[in-house]
Amino acid sequence: MRDALVAAAFQLFLERGYEQTTVDDIVKTAGVGRRSFFRYFPSKEDVVFPDHEQALAQMQAFLAASADADDPLVRVCEATRQVMRMYADNPTFSVQRYRLTREVNGLRTYELSVVWRYEKTLGDYLRTRFADRRDGTLRANVVAAAVVAAHNHVLRSWLRSGGKGDPLAEVDRALQFVRETWDPAGSGAETPADRADEDVVVVITRRNTPMWRVVREMESTLGEG
Amino acid sequence: MRDALVAAAFQLFLERGYEQTTVDDIVKTAGVGRRSFFRYFPSKEDVVFPDHEQALAQMQAFLAASADADDPLVRVCEATRQVMRMYADNPTFSVQRYRLTREVNGLRTYELSVVWRYEKTLGDYLRTRFADRRDGTLRANVVAAAVVAAHNHVLRSWLRSGGKGDPLAEVDRALQFVRETWDPAGSGAETPADRADEDVVVVITRRNTPMWRVVREMESTLGEG
């Protein structure tokens, strides 16, 4: 019934436009009563985003099930990947909805509020995980925003292309960029701050520096010069 | 006249609530005609955010006036600081509006769309500045989101406190956190991603690695081995 209402709604939105379609039109096309519609969707706007409530609940459950040993950055990236999978599983529907949200101003702001709820969910989780860090709350909010921005960067470009290519591979690459920004240790490199804490030596040099000069620099850093 | 309309509107919003106040009530209290209201504000929602259009235009002008030699990260932080200054210049109004947006769902989504326009303005500027970088668009979007998140982190906590403390000092600290994330050069170091783009060689090694092994590693990286 729920799926039939969504299908009927999108059929009409595409045929005559979102604004020109009423809830009465939708229930008539779906062959159900008005009350059935409102049992599933509080408003006409909600039928455009039938999957986000479940995806948000899934994200919250996934993050709540995290162990203390889990890398929080890896966790939020995995949680965000699941949202992309929801879009990727239904390319036709995703692209149709995208075109609709471009045309109808009210749907775009609705979408912004959905995006904000994902960001808040990720931020809430990161805040508890970063609670003992200096600037933990700030860091949690900034990282959550960065993760969402990376996801939306890939999502928008995939939707704009009409659903071509592999958005999951792309989002992995974009999330990797975010992970490397804050957790380069996980990707084989390290941040200056990380390195300062460990017994590791870093040499940064221009490519055309003569080797003897590099060695001298390293020896003096190592205290062997 | 514009200021009188804003003052009348907020007086009524506080007295009887946002939903219970009509545009007719506002113009009557301000002692002007209905048409005057709509000359300044397309809708009742817009009178709640009378300053953002000007602030957005100011941000666009500020960024458009950037020189190529300007550090783009410094520029977007300065542009964002100006938005905080707008709030800080009017603490009473800012706090009143904040309480209103907490209560009225429609105003919260309106606010999200304003925030999105700031983020897009910063992102547009960064995209042109990062155009020649690998992952330039992704980087621009992620950095813009991080800058906005840092700003909003400070703004929300200042508004929640009822406008206590120095939000400009706080936002400087939060923006510094973002700058250090992507531009540690400004603080004396570099990120792995920065280094990868430049003609620079980085060697990271444990302190107890023998020097011959370090030299061999460097030679092979340099293509001299």
Side-chain angles (χ1 to χ4, degrees):
Chain A
M1 164 98 69
R2 197 171 182 277
D3 291 347
L5 283 164
V6 174
F10 271 81
Q11 182 195 320
L12 293 169
F13 294 160
L14 293 173
E15 277 171 22
R16 37 178 111 160
Y18 176 80
E19 305 285 12
Q20 288 72 45
T21 303
T22 65
V23 170
D24 282 330
D25 298 334
I26 297 169
V27 297
K28 210 166 129 195
T29 304
V32 302
R34 245 182 102 80
R35 263 195 297 178
S36 303
F37 183 91
F38 289 108
R39 194 181 308 144
Y40 293 108
F41 305 107
S43 73
K44 192 173 79 169
E45 283 179 348
D46 293 284
V47 77
V48 181
F49 304 93
D51 36 12
H52 282 297
E53 289 303 327
Q54 206 197 318
L56 270 159
Q58 188 187 327
M59 179 184 272
Q60 280 156 5
F62 177 82
L63 293 174
S66 304
D68 284 352
D70 288 331
D71 180 330
L73 210 45
V74 172
R75 274 313 260 189
V76 295
C77 288
E78 281 170 359
T80 305
R81 190 180 201 276
Q82 291 175 6
V83 179
M84 184 63 81
R85 179 179 293 280
M86 173 187 77
Y87 284 93
D89 281 349
N90 261 310
T92 309
F93 176 73
S94 298
V95 171
Q96 280 176 356
R97 171 165 63 192
Y98 173 71
R99 289 181 184 150
L100 215 52
T101 57
R102 293 309 92 181
E103 286 160 19
V104 184
N105 204 34
L107 295 179
R108 201 152 53 228
T109 56
Y110 186 107
E111 197 177 40
L112 285 175
S113 72
V114 172
V115 171
W116 166 241
R117 288 172 69 197
Y118 284 115
E119 189 173 321
K120 194 180 173 310
T121 301
L122 297 174
D124 286 345
Y125 166 71
L126 290 174
R127 268 191 294 283
T128 64
R129 294 301 309 272
F130 292 164
D132 57 348
R133 293 188 80 133
R134 188 169 49 91
D135 280 331
T137 313
L138 171 63
R139 178 181 288 259
N141 292 342
V142 169
V143 172
V147 166
V148 168
H151 171 273
N152 287 348
H153 166 82
V154 173
L155 178 61
R156 264 196 307 273
S157 111
W158 179 68
L159 292 172
R160 234 185 269 126
S161 81
K164 292 191 177 59
D166 182 356
L168 284 166
E170 286 296 311
V171 86
D172 285 342
R173 217 174 53 85
L175 291 171
Q176 182 66 15
F177 172 83
V178 175
R179 281 184 55 193
E180 280 174 19
T181 300
W182 278 287
D183 180 26
S187 60
E190 300 186 358
T191 61
D194 288 332
R195 287 192 302 266
D197 290 344
E198 289 175 19
D199 202 13
V200 152
V201 174
V202 180
V203 174
I204 301 171
T205 181
R206 303 238 151 252
R207 188 176 279 276
N208 56 5
T209 309
M211 185 58 74
W212 64 267
R213 205 182 264 281
V214 177
V215 171
R216 183 195 282 177
E217 172 64 25
M218 285 209 64
E219 284 173 342
S220 98
T221 309
L222 286 160
E224 291 172 6
Chain B
M1 163 98 68
R2 196 171 182 278
D3 291 348
L5 283 163
V6 174
F10 270 80
Q11 182 196 319
L12 292 168
F13 294 159
L14 292 173
E15 277 170 23
R16 38 179 110 161
Y18 176 80
E19 306 284 13
Q20 288 73 45
T21 302
T22 66
V23 171
D24 282 330
D25 298 334
I26 297 169
V27 296
K28 209 167 128 194
T29 303
V32 301
R34 246 180 101 81
R35 264 194 298 177
S36 304
F37 182 92
F38 289 108
R39 195 181 307 145
Y40 293 108
F41 305 107
S43 73
K44 192 173 79 170
E45 283 179 349
D46 293 284
V47 77
V48 180
F49 304 93
D51 37 11
H52 281 297
E53 288 304 326
Q54 206 198 319
L56 271 159
Q58 188 188 328
M59 179 184 271
Q60 281 156 5
F62 177 82
L63 293 174
S66 303
D68 283 352
D70 288 331
D71 180 329
L73 210 44
V74 171
R75 273 315 258 189
V76 295
C77 288
E78 281 170 358
T80 304
R81 190 181 202 276
Q82 291 174 5
V83 180
M84 184 62 80
R85 180 179 291 281
M86 173 187 79
Y87 284 92
D89 281 348
N90 261 310
T92 309
F93 177 74
S94 298
V95 171
Q96 279 176 355
R97 170 165 63 191
Y98 173 70
R99 290 183 182 149
L100 215 53
T101 57
R102 291 312 92 180
E103 286 160 20
V104 185
N105 203 33
L107 295 179
R108 201 152 52 229
T109 57
Y110 185 108
E111 196 178 38
L112 286 174
S113 73
V114 173
V115 170
W116 167 241
R117 289 172 69 199
Y118 285 114
E119 188 172 323
K120 194 180 173 310
T121 301
L122 298 174
D124 287 345
Y125 166 71
L126 290 174
R127 270 190 293 282
T128 65
R129 294 300 309 272
F130 293 163
D132 58 347
R133 294 188 80 134
R134 188 167 49 93
D135 280 331
T137 313
L138 171 63
R139 176 181 289 259
N141 292 342
V142 168
V143 172
V147 166
V148 168
H151 172 273
N152 287 347
H153 166 81
V154 173
L155 178 62
R156 264 196 308 272
S157 112
W158 178 69
L159 291 172
R160 235 186 268 125
S161 80
K164 291 191 176 59
D166 181 357
L168 284 166
E170 286 296 312
V171 86
D172 285 343
R173 215 173 55 85
L175 292 171
Q176 182 66 18
F177 171 84
V178 174
R179 280 186 56 193
E180 280 173 17
T181 300
W182 278 288
D183 181 26
S187 58
E190 298 186 0
T191 64
D194 286 334
R195 287 192 299 265
D197 288 345
E198 289 174 19
D199 202 12
V200 153
V201 175
V202 180
V203 174
I204 300 173
T205 182
R206 301 239 153 249
R207 189 176 278 276
N208 56 3
T209 310
M211 185 60 72
W212 64 268
R213 206 183 265 281
V214 177
V215 170
R216 184 194 281 177
E217 173 63 24
M218 285 211 63
E219 284 172 343
S220 98
T221 309
L222 287 159
E224 289 171 7

